[in-house]
Amino acid sequence: EPEVTQTPSHQVTQMGQEVILRCVPISNHLYFYWYRQILGQKVEFLVSFYNNEISEKSEIFDDQFSVERPDGSNFTLKIRSTKLEDSAMYFCASRELPGLAGNEQFFGPGTRLTVL
Amino acid sequence: GESVGLHLPTLSVQEGDNSIINCAYSNSASDYFIWYKQESGKGPQFIIDIRSNMDKRQGQRVTVLLNKTVKHLSLQIAATQPGDSAVYFCAENGGTSYGKLTFGQGTILTVHP
């Protein structure tokens, strides 16, 4: 069964450093997402991406964040200068079709980011 | 503002019992709702979804009920098993076509053998 994969599973970094979290969405999916989950809290939407551009982003997704689809398979989230409060689980998700309510989002296993 | 919340943060049941997990939402524009299961250290796993033109939808051992009048969503799990122990989140799309999901706080379901 196809699945969303994410690497690394755990990333430890120093405050102020740049990190890149990587995701490989399901191959025939067209919509891609990043969410984050601070320990013990709910999953929060960061950004959605379709047709090689951001379609929506949350207040959390400020100028320190960026997303990219550098090739036909990878989808990355970059945090330019990490802060302590960026420590969280980051989930990538993908969806097959745009514009249809009721289209399931498949989530990856997540990357745990720890900022020291 | 829009929000999705849960009435009960924890639920403990005996194996074989039926479980009901509740969720309240406030965004009347939402037209799609999903229940996800999250096991420790894993990403959310899709359980069942429902569109706003439906009141009830059944899957394998799970049923989702939607009451748009009071903006309430519930997940019923029949014959709960220890493997059902997890955190359950409801999520809604806010009526957007881009698929942004707003998640609730989550309910911890513990099933005792």
Side-chain angles (χ1 to χ4, degrees), chain A residues 3-4 6 9 35-43 88-92 106-112, chain B residues 36-46 82-89 103:
Chain A
E3 58 184 13
V4 177
Q6 291 184 243
S9 58
Y35 293 82
R36 80 171 187 188
Q37 185 179 33
I38 294 172
L39 185 63
Q41 298 186 23
K42 63 182 180 180
V43 177
M89 281 289 286
Y90 288 80
F91 293 107
C92 174
F106 291 83
F107 281 76
T111 292
R112 178 168 298 283
Chain B
Y36 283 95
K37 172 186 180 183
Q38 187 178 27
E39 296 173 289
S40 180
K42 297 184 179 180
Q45 178 186 357
F46 173 88
D84 294 327
S85 295
V87 180
Y88 289 81
F89 293 94
F103 281 77

Side-chain angles (χ1 to χ4, degrees), chain A residues 31 33 35 37 41-43 45 48 55-56 89 91 95 98-105 107-109, chain B residues 4 31-32 34 36 38 41-44 46 49 51 89 93 96-105:
Chain A
Y31 255 100
Y33 307 85
Y35 293 82
Q37 185 179 33
Q41 298 186 23
K42 63 182 180 180
V43 177
F45 169 80
S48 59
S55 48
E56 189 172 5
M89 281 289 286
F91 293 107
R95 186 166 76 120
L100 290 176
N103 205 239
E104 177 186 351
Q105 288 185 32
F107 281 76
Chain B
V4 180
D31 57 10
Y32 176 59
I34 312 174
Y36 283 95
Q38 187 178 27
K42 297 184 179 180
F46 173 88
D49 58 2
R51 300 189 188 193
F89 293 94
N93 76 334
T96 67
S97 62
Y98 297 120
K100 164 194 171 182
L101 294 178
T102 299
F103 281 77
Q105 289 290 345

Side-chain angles (χ1 to χ4, degrees), chain B residues 25-100:
Chain B
Y25 66 95
S26 60
N27 190 342
S28 57
S30 292
D31 57 10
Y32 176 59
F33 305 88
I34 312 174
W35 281 100
Y36 283 95
K37 172 186 180 183
Q38 187 178 27
E39 296 173 289
S40 180
K42 297 184 179 180
Q45 178 186 357
F46 173 88
I47 301 173
I48 192 167
D49 58 2
I50 188 167
R51 300 189 188 193
S52 59
N53 61 352
M54 303 172 68
D55 298 322
K56 179 180 179 179
R57 189 160 189 236
Q58 288 184 294
Q60 187 176 15
R61 284 202 304 119
V62 294
T63 301
V64 55
L65 299 177
L66 175 62
N67 186 330
K68 295 180 289 294
T69 302
V70 296
K71 297 190 182 70
H72 185 266
L73 194 68
S74 69
L75 175 70
Q76 300 178 0
I77 305 174
T80 318
Q81 303 168 358
D84 294 327
S85 295
V87 180
Y88 289 81
F89 293 94
C90 63
E92 50 94 12
N93 76 334
T96 67
S97 62
Y98 297 120
K100 164 194 171 182

Side-chain angles (χ1 to χ4, degrees), chain A residues 42-69:
Chain A
K42 63 182 180 180
V43 177
E44 300 175 289
F45 169 80
L46 293 178
V47 65
S48 59
F49 191 86
Y50 170 67
N51 199 26
N52 286 317
E53 62 182 17
I54 291 173
S55 48
E56 189 172 5
K57 60 183 181 180
S58 72
E59 293 177 353
I60 302 169
F61 195 89
D62 60 23
D63 292 344
Q64 293 300 311
F65 291 86
S66 62
V67 290
E68 191 178 25
R69 188 155 164 83

